[in-house]
Amino acid sequence: MKKVLTSAVTAIILTTSSAFAAVNSQTGCGLGSQIIKDDSSAVLLALQATTNGTSGNQTFGISSGTSGCKKTKLVMNDKAEEFVASNMDQLSKEIAMGQGEAVETLAELLEVQDKAEFIASLQKNYTKIYTSSNSSMADVLDNVSQL
């Protein structure tokens, strides 16, 4: 029974992988969506989702921009977290002013392409970034990533 099931899955993968080129919008990106490109039936969608879930590479694809996933605008990293945690007061002041060394450094750590636009967006959305006087580093970075 196991051989029959394995053969059936392999046959589906081989026949569908070359027939279509687009990633399915229902199951998202990942290995399953890359191998099984046909989304014409519930069985194939289930196989895509199962492969995406069991292979565990969808998260990697989202953060790296591989496996048919789009790279996110901002990817948080340990250096950015440490920097923001150590410079909360200075960052708050410079984001409010729309300029400064700390906010420039944050843009570099987050690998932002257009720093001027990024900094202007931070200044414009200051109240969305610092939602209270007790905002934490995680709050600030989460709010920055949603801009």
Side-chain angles (χ1 to χ4, degrees):
M1 180 66 179
K2 188 176 179 181
K3 287 183 179 180
V4 172
L5 183 59
T6 303
S7 297
V9 169
T10 303
I12 290 170
I13 291 170
L14 292 176
T15 57
T16 59
S17 63
S18 61
F20 298 90
V23 172
N24 183 316
S25 63
Q26 293 180 336
T27 57
C29 58
L31 181 62
S33 302
Q34 293 295 300
I35 294 173
I36 306 165
K37 302 206 183 248
D38 184 1
D39 60 353
S40 61
S41 72
V43 172
L44 294 174
L45 290 172
L47 284 172
Q48 284 181 358
T50 302
T51 304
N52 284 344
T54 56
S55 66
N57 73 348
Q58 195 169 31
T59 304
F60 174 75
I62 291 168
S63 61
S64 65
T66 58
S67 299
C69 303
K70 291 181 181 176
K71 191 171 184 170
T72 56
K73 186 176 179 181
L74 295 173
V75 176
M76 297 303 166
N77 56 50
D78 292 340
K79 289 182 181 177
E81 290 175 355
E82 290 175 18
F83 179 80
V84 171
S86 300
N87 296 285
M88 287 287 287
D89 292 339
Q90 188 65 30
L91 267 175
S92 175
K93 290 176 189 173
E94 291 184 9
I95 288 173
M97 294 185 315
Q99 62 181 358
E101 187 176 328
V103 75
E104 291 270 345
T105 302
L106 177 62
E108 284 185 32
L109 290 172
L110 295 175
E111 300 177 358
V112 174
Q113 299 293 321
D114 187 349
K115 290 180 188 174
E117 181 181 330
F118 174 73
I119 293 169
S121 176
L122 292 178
Q123 184 181 26
K124 180 181 174 185
N125 294 292
Y126 179 85
T127 56
K128 293 178 182 174
I129 297 168
Y130 292 95
T131 56
S132 75
S133 60
N134 297 324
S135 293
S136 69
M137 172 274 299
D139 294 333
V140 171
L141 284 174
D142 285 346
N143 294 335
V144 167
S145 70
Q146 294 176 11
L147 297 178

